[in-house]
Structure formats: C-alpha cells, structure tokens
Amino acid sequence: MGRRALNFDIDFDLDWKPEPVIDISEFQNNHSAGQSERIQSLLTPGISRTPYRGALTIIEYTTSVPQFEVIRDVDKFKMRFPFGGIETPDEQPVAGSRRESKEEVGLQLGKLTKDNFVGELSGGPNCTIFIFAKRLSAEDKRKVELGPEQKEHAAMLINTVDRSVERGLFSWNHANAWRLFKRWRVGRTY
C-alpha cells in the first residue's frame, strides 16, 4: 500500500512543530523481557504520539488588488503563512492564531469570529491544523515585524501565491490550507 492510499502525503519539510516523541525504550525497560519484545510502533520515528493542534492564519491586505502575507523561516526553504502550535490544551484555536500572527509577523489580528474560520486540516498523524483568514488594512502591510524564527516576508498577489503553490514552493500543509481558503473565500466577507 502506497502513501497516497493513506489519504495524506508526508512532506519532509515538516511544517508543524510536534511534541517530543515518547521514548519507547523507557517503557520497555519497565516491563518484562517477554512483553517488551512484543511492543512495536507503527509510527515513523520522529512522529509524535502526542496530539498536536496548530493555528494557521491567512492574512489578506485590503489593497486595490488583494495581497497576502507570506513568510519564510530561518531554517526552512519553503514559504508559508503565519502558523504555530496551540500551546496548552485549554488554549482556543482563535487565541493561537492571534498569538502566532503577533509572534511571527508582529500584526495584531483583533477580533476573530466564526466568519474568520476557514476550516481544519489533518497535518499528519495526530496533527490538526485550524485555519483562519483575516483581512487587514493596506497600512498594516508596512507594520510587519518578523519574529526571530522568520527570515523574510512578502505581500503577494493571489496569482503569485497560486503559482508558488503549484510549483511546490509552499510547505505541504500550507499549500493545502491555501486551496481550502480559495474555495472558502468565494463570495465571503470576513
């Protein structure tokens, strides 16, 4: 059975920040030899067994021709949108979206409502990504202040983002979020 049969691809440019992997050897050392020999993992090494929730935000500037905030991290080649983990189990995805946007591009999103919720994606095993969209003023484009993990940013036209996604220049999950956003955006005010 190929990877596509599992209904997702694994991108080696991982664009989520999984929790530390549980060390199975500690578990095996605490059990009898007979039991530990039977313990096997079906997960790829490096894939977290801890559920991970992330928030991704597509920021659209209300310029005469709409533009979208795109960033690139210091340690990654591919482009992406502001994104990061929802830090505590009780933190709401909306709060994660606002916090990550502030940390990565220095922009205050203000109030997010159900009208800003695009949907959610499976980002891989045990990973859920909540996608939000927010329109900000053209002036906000000049207020971007990158966080320490970000290398560069750009405000791109919708066609430029489309071409970059199709050429594989965006991280896998962010490209899927863009495709979902484009379908969601038709005829909407948010």
Side-chain angles (χ1 to χ4, degrees):
M1 173 175 11
R3 288 188 306 180
R4 288 211 181 271
L6 296 173
N7 201 19
F8 67 89
D9 263 337
I10 295 177
D11 187 359
F12 293 103
D13 179 23
L14 297 176
D15 50 10
W16 75 89
K17 301 168 188 165
E19 298 295 322
V21 175
I22 296 169
D23 185 2
I24 193 88
S25 63
E26 288 181 31
F27 180 79
Q28 290 173 337
N29 292 338
N30 294 330
H31 291 78
S32 70
Q35 287 179 333
S36 65
E37 289 174 9
R38 288 182 272 152
I39 298 172
Q40 294 182 14
S41 174
L42 297 177
L43 294 176
T44 304
I47 299 295
S48 175
R49 290 159 179 81
T50 304
Y52 177 83
R53 299 179 320 140
L56 182 149
T57 309
I58 297 175
I59 298 171
E60 178 179 348
Y61 298 113
T62 55
T63 50
S64 58
V65 177
Q67 296 178 342
F68 298 86
E69 185 63 41
V70 174
I71 59 178
R72 198 162 67 89
D73 285 352
V74 172
D75 61 344
K76 292 187 174 75
F77 168 75
K78 295 194 177 188
M79 294 182 277
R80 64 183 192 80
F81 301 104
F83 169 78
I86 298 170
E87 292 183 345
T88 61
D90 59 338
E91 183 179 30
Q92 295 300 311
V94 167
S97 175
R98 284 195 303 261
R99 181 181 41 73
E100 286 296 334
S101 296
K102 177 67 176 158
E103 287 175 8
E104 295 191 352
V105 293
L107 296 175
Q108 297 283 351
L109 296 183
K111 185 176 181 178
L112 292 175
T113 68
K114 64 180 171 117
D115 293 332
N116 299 103
F117 181 66
V118 174
E120 58 186 66
L121 291 173
S122 171
N126 293 324
C127 178
T128 302
I129 300 172
F130 298 91
I131 304 161
F132 297 90
K134 181 68 174 182
R135 284 190 172 133
L136 297 178
S137 71
E139 293 80 38
D140 286 326
K141 188 170 73 164
R142 292 187 283 279
K143 296 178 184 175
V144 171
E145 292 181 23
L146 294 177
E149 296 177 4
Q150 286 64 54
K151 180 177 185 175
E152 54 196 9
H153 78 102
M156 292 185 169
L157 299 173
I158 195 166
N159 292 340
T160 306
V161 177
D162 284 340
R163 283 193 306 272
S164 298
V165 164
E166 294 311 313
R167 290 181 180 151
L169 300 175
F170 269 78
S171 293
W172 178 259
N173 291 324
H174 294 254
N176 286 337
W178 177 254
R179 291 178 186 109
L180 181 63
F181 165 75
K182 293 230 358 222
R183 289 191 300 267
W184 171 86
R185 181 178 184 258
V186 176
R188 245 181 234 272
T189 54
Y190 57 96

